[in-house]
Amino acid sequence: MPGKSKKRQVKDGYALQYTTIKVRLYPDEAQKELFEKTFGCCRYVWNQMLSDQQRFYLETGAHFIPTPAKYKKEAPFLREVDNQALTQEHNKLSQAFRVFFKNPESFGYPGFKRKKDDRDSFTACNHEFESGPTIYTTENGIRMTKAGIVRARLHRRPQNGWKLKRITVEKTRTGKYYGCILYEYPAKKPEPVVPTPETAVGLKYSLPHFYVADDGVMADPPRWMKQAREKLAKLQQRLSRMQPGSGNYQEAVQKYRLLHEHIANQRRDFIHKESRRIANAWDAVCVRGDNLEEMSRRMTRGVPAESGYGMFRECLRYKLERQGKPLVVVDRYIPTTRTCSACGLVREAVHYKENVWTCPKCGAVHRWEVNAARNIKAQGLSQYFSMQESGQTA
């Protein structure tokens, strides 16, 4: 049937993998206007579907989400945008309810979208017709439904055999447009790598050093990240002295947003490069499942949730997984900091101002973050091999 995508056949020993290429978009004025309409229509459809779902549940006690087609008669402006973008909003809302019903403690109830709170974005799926695909890349742009060819900076091209699945167009607070293109391709399944104590590493989260490894290596963020944060602090001081709404204030707000975006890009670049280096150098990585939001509430200095360590762990996970290597997450309540890595003695209390402490039982001298990383590594390897014996995955 035209328009229906067939299930992709994969050879034995291969599995489907997905990767995303993010490109900068340079739409013209007409395309910008269409994108803005699409952002607003997606927000409108989401809120209408959520409102009708809540009303239907109160009246009947059953869960039902209407499709976007219901609202096109009373809101004819919905016909001006790509229908696929509206359909994806229905899929996203359905997925939000699925994860909420499955685990309400981790996922909150879906809420309404407000223009000033949400990031402007929409997603459109690619469909194969006899006349060709609805979305494809050109020499210097991306062809999209209703928008035509949008000029783009394609710094990376898809390889042979990659199939374009969908594209997500987003607009940042600084007014820039980006396209995230999702590709599907068959990849050979990696052979499982069995780690050893010599080829595994334990990482301990550190507020001043990002992380500390069990061999004493510290991943201090580059100096240019510190310089950008110092510049941000000065700009915040200038903003606090300006009159809100004035021309100088709006100009400073734009500079503030651009600098925030620059710092986020710097942090993302550092995380991807560091996680790639570790994934290539080690056969297994052991980390502790720290709750960074809870740590941020308890700490008076620094904000662990803004360090990007959670993103760092996720990058490590998928990069190791594609090489057949495990990422072992150790329970955060295990006293890795208070335990001597030499004899196993557990201290009653630990003072974090003490960078070095001596074990009262065996006399071993420890740097407390390095000692914690060694305990994380030992616990992680023990947990990994016990799970392998029981037939589970790390």
Side-chain angles (χ1 to χ4, degrees):
M1 184 177 179
K4 294 291 184 180
S5 59
K6 297 180 180 179
K7 189 174 182 180
R8 198 168 187 180
Q9 299 294 331
V10 182
K11 297 187 298 183
D12 293 339
Y14 284 76
L16 290 178
Q17 283 192 1
Y18 298 89
T19 189
T20 302
I21 298 179
K22 187 174 183 179
V23 299
R24 177 78 181 274
L25 301 178
Y26 298 92
D28 56 29
E29 293 302 322
Q31 292 168 341
K32 286 181 180 179
E33 183 179 357
L34 177 62
F35 287 166
E36 293 298 329
K37 287 182 179 179
T38 308
F39 296 147
C41 290
C42 289
R43 187 165 50 247
Y44 173 84
V45 166
W46 173 285
N47 292 337
Q48 290 295 323
M49 290 188 299
L50 181 58
S51 176
D52 288 346
Q53 186 276 337
Q54 293 178 351
R55 183 170 61 253
F56 188 83
Y57 182 79
L58 290 176
E59 294 175 354
T60 64
H63 171 71
F64 172 75
I65 303 177
T67 61
K70 173 187 175 182
Y71 309 104
K72 290 187 176 181
K73 186 175 181 179
E74 61 185 27
F77 55 85
L78 296 177
R79 303 180 185 274
E80 300 178 9
V81 302
D82 185 6
N83 182 61
Q84 282 297 314
L86 306 181
T87 303
Q88 289 303 311
E89 290 299 309
H90 181 271
N91 296 340
K92 292 177 184 178
L93 184 59
S94 301
Q95 175 66 13
F97 273 108
R98 279 196 295 269
V99 296
F100 169 72
F101 292 144
K102 185 177 181 180
N103 191 356
E105 295 181 357
S106 300
F107 299 94
Y109 186 86
F112 292 96
K113 292 185 177 182
R114 297 190 300 176
K115 185 176 181 180
K116 64 179 182 180
D117 294 340
D118 296 281
R119 181 190 65 183
D120 289 331
S121 67
F122 69 87
T123 302
C125 289
N126 181 31
H127 291 279
E128 298 283 348
F129 293 95
E130 294 181 357
S131 58
T134 57
I135 303 174
Y136 56 86
T137 58
T138 62
E139 183 179 358
N140 57 357
I142 302 174
R143 193 272 178 189
M144 299 173 57
T145 305
K146 294 200 174 184
I149 297 179
V150 182
R151 192 165 63 91
R153 182 183 298 172
L154 301 171
H155 64 281
R156 180 185 175 192
R157 293 285 179 172
Q159 300 180 14
N160 186 27
W162 288 22
K163 182 179 179 181
L164 196 154
K165 299 295 291 183
R166 63 173 179 260
I167 182 173
T168 298
V169 178
E170 60 181 32
K171 179 185 177 183
T172 64
R173 297 292 296 274
T174 57
K176 299 177 183 177
Y177 293 87
Y178 291 92
C180 300
I181 313 171
L182 178 68
Y183 286 95
E184 176 191 75
Y185 60 94
K188 191 174 182 179
K189 294 181 181 178
E191 293 293 334
V193 179
V194 180
T196 63
E198 291 77 20
T199 60
V201 64
L203 304 181
K204 163 72 171 65
Y205 170 70
S206 173
L207 188 60
H209 303 292
F210 191 68
Y211 76 76
V212 176
D214 63 278
D215 56 0
V217 175
M218 301 179 183
D220 291 322
R223 58 180 178 81
W224 33 262
M225 289 186 66
K226 182 180 179 182
Q227 293 173 351
R229 289 193 176 98
E230 292 174 352
K231 187 176 180 180
L232 181 66
K234 295 180 180 178
L235 187 56
Q236 288 174 326
Q237 291 178 353
R238 288 180 53 197
L239 270 174
S240 64
R241 301 188 184 101
M242 290 184 177
Q243 180 67 29
S246 63
N248 290 337
Y249 181 83
Q250 296 299 332
E251 183 179 350
V253 166
Q254 180 65 7
K255 291 181 180 179
Y256 175 79
R257 291 174 176 173
L258 287 170
L259 186 55
H260 253 300
E261 184 179 291
H262 179 64
I263 293 174
N265 292 335
Q266 287 180 325
R267 180 170 58 244
R268 191 179 300 109
D269 178 75
F270 167 72
I271 287 173
H272 277 288
K273 289 180 178 177
E274 192 65 22
S275 59
R276 172 54 63 192
R277 184 189 66 81
I278 294 176
N280 292 343
W282 301 95
D283 291 343
V285 180
C286 305
V287 297
R288 195 170 67 176
D290 294 319
N291 189 329
L292 301 182
E293 292 185 1
E294 181 179 338
M295 293 174 63
S296 300
R297 289 192 293 267
R298 290 191 283 108
M299 288 186 175
T300 57
R301 291 185 177 182
V303 184
E306 295 181 359
S307 65
Y309 189 73
M311 178 183 175
F312 173 73
R313 289 186 304 198
E314 181 61 23
C315 290
L316 269 179
R317 182 197 61 77
Y318 83 82
K319 289 175 182 176
L320 288 167
E321 181 181 335
R322 292 188 175 184
Q323 300 182 39
K325 302 175 181 179
L327 174 69
V328 187
V329 181
V330 177
D331 187 6
R332 61 191 175 107
Y333 293 109
I334 295 178
T336 55
T337 304
R338 297 187 289 113
T339 303
C340 175
S341 58
C343 65
L345 174 70
V346 181
R347 299 174 63 189
E348 293 295 331
V350 59
H351 299 284
Y352 293 101
K353 293 183 179 180
E354 298 176 0
N355 293 327
V356 180
W357 62 278
T358 303
C359 177
K361 181 179 180 181
C362 64
V365 180
H366 300 293
R367 290 168 56 191
W368 70 273
E369 287 186 322
V370 177
N371 174 71
R374 291 172 180 170
N375 289 326
I376 291 173
K377 174 182 175 180
Q379 178 65 27
L381 289 177
S382 175
Q383 178 178 319
Y384 171 78
F385 288 115
S386 63
M387 295 178 70
Q388 291 296 313
E389 292 177 359
S390 60
Q392 302 178 9
T393 56

